[in-house]
């Protein structure tokens, strides 16, 4: 079994980057279900198999136009979702992804404590922010904020989206009781008007469904 966090290669000039061969393999899995199933038996993102995040990415892509400015909260040991979004935005030649995480740190930081902090190497056009979010955080310009299996910051994601009148997409970590989703839903309702819709999608998990909000599509008058 391999973990994406271990795919860092050191160069002679002292810099670090992720193994391109491994990253290309992950991207090939986006369009090859058989390869995805085979690769998911070998490659894990944190404690979860790769296919889980591929599925969440495809769901995110089906709900939102990715040619926008996006914020991820809590990317953990490897920013797999930001990586996939950045790849898509590069193809579209539009949009930007900013990834927040307070536990991870830049790989070249000298005082990194490896016992609890994960080193993160540069990756594509992802703009890293190694800090936490709270309701007073001043964010870069964005259209969508999301978190996948996030342990902390779930309420912040929704409250910030409410404050800024933005879309969101989140999947709670199973460290919370399942009924916590109802609490998050009620917070989301406070900031949802008639122009937006709240989506609960339990196709991947009945206990911890996707909770999202997006603007309703406008049908032109005929």
């Amino acid at each position: 079994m391999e973990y994406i966090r271990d795919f860092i290669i050191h160069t002679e000039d002292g810099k670090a980057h992720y193994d391109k061969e491994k990253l290309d393999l992950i991207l090939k899995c986006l369009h090859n279900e058989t390869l995805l199933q085979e690769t998911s038996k070998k490659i894990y993102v944190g404690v979860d198999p790769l296919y889980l995040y591929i599925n969440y990415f495809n769901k995110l892509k089906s709900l939102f136009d990715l040619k926008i400015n996006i914020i991820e909260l809590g990317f953990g040991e490897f920013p797999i979702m930001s990586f996939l979004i950045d790849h898509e935005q590069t193809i579209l030649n539009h949009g930007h992804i900013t990834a927040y995480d307070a536990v991870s740190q830049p790989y070249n930081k000298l005082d990194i404590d490896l016992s609890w902090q994960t080193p993160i190497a540069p990756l594509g056009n992802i703009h890293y922010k190694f800090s936490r979010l709270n309701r007073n955080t001043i964010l870069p310009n964005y259209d969508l904020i999301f978190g996948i299996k996030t342990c902390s910051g779930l309420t912040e994601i929704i409250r910030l989206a409410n404050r800024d009148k933005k879309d969101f997409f989140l999947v709670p970590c199973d460290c919370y009781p399942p009924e916590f989703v109802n609490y998050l839903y009620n917070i989301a309702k406070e900031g949802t008007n008639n122009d937006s819709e709240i989506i609960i999608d339990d196709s991947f998990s009945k206990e911890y469904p996707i909770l999202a909000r997006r603007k309703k599509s406008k049908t032109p008058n005929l």
Side-chain angles (χ1 to χ4, degrees):
M1 185 183 299
E2 298 177 289
Y3 294 92
I4 294 182
R5 64 171 182 263
D6 298 327
F7 294 166
I8 294 180
I9 294 176
H10 305 274
T11 57
E12 294 181 357
D13 58 2
K15 295 182 180 180
H17 63 87
Y18 290 99
D19 186 331
K20 186 177 185 303
E21 183 177 335
K22 298 292 187 181
L23 297 180
D24 287 344
L25 174 62
I26 292 170
L27 294 177
K28 290 178 182 177
C29 289
L30 287 171
H31 310 289
N32 189 322
E33 183 66 28
T34 301
L35 180 62
L36 174 59
Q37 294 302 322
E38 294 175 353
T39 304
S40 290
K41 297 174 183 177
K42 307 172 185 176
I43 296 180
Y44 271 62
V45 184
V47 298
D48 296 303
L50 176 63
Y51 78 83
L52 187 68
Y53 290 91
I54 297 289
N55 287 341
Y56 283 132
F57 169 73
N58 287 331
K59 183 65 68 172
L60 180 74
K61 185 177 176 181
S62 72
L63 292 175
F64 300 97
D65 181 353
L66 299 187
K67 295 187 293 185
I68 57 177
N69 295 327
I70 302 174
I71 291 176
E72 176 177 16
L73 174 59
F75 58 79
E77 297 179 346
F78 178 82
I80 179 65
M81 291 290 292
S82 287
F83 167 63
L84 297 174
I85 289 170
D86 177 61
H87 172 71
E88 182 73 13
Q89 291 180 334
T90 300
I91 295 173
L92 298 170
N93 195 29
H94 209 288
H96 185 263
I97 178 72
T98 302
Y100 281 79
D101 194 278
V103 175
S104 302
Q105 290 292 341
Y107 197 87
N108 59 357
K109 187 177 180 182
L110 297 178
D111 59 345
I112 190 168
D113 179 359
L114 294 179
S115 66
W116 65 276
Q117 292 179 321
T118 303
I120 300 295
L123 188 61
N125 301 303
I126 299 172
H127 187 193
Y128 291 120
K129 294 282 190 178
F130 297 100
S131 60
R132 297 185 184 280
L133 291 183
N134 59 54
R135 66 187 65 186
N136 297 317
T137 301
I138 299 176
L139 297 172
N141 180 45
Y142 75 102
D143 305 288
L144 167 69
I145 185 169
F146 79 93
I148 303 297
K149 296 181 72 67
T150 307
C151 293
S152 61
L154 286 171
T155 57
E156 283 77 7
I157 287 175
I158 298 178
R159 292 191 188 283
L160 286 168
N162 285 354
R163 182 195 70 183
D164 300 332
K165 297 179 173 57
K166 302 295 184 180
D167 295 337
F168 71 82
F169 178 101
L170 62 83
V171 180
C173 175
D174 57 12
C175 60
Y176 290 94
E179 56 268 23
F180 189 62
V181 175
N182 295 327
Y183 173 72
L184 296 174
Y185 174 80
N186 289 330
I187 296 176
K189 282 182 60 178
E190 296 174 4
T192 303
N193 56 31
N194 293 332
D195 295 328
S196 298
E197 59 181 341
I198 297 177
I199 297 169
I200 299 177
D201 186 328
D202 63 358
S203 57
F204 298 149
S205 172
K206 299 297 182 183
E207 289 187 317
Y208 299 95
I210 296 167
L211 181 64
R213 180 174 67 213
R214 66 176 179 178
K215 295 176 181 61
K216 295 177 181 177
S217 59
K218 296 182 179 180
T219 304
N221 294 326
L222 300 178

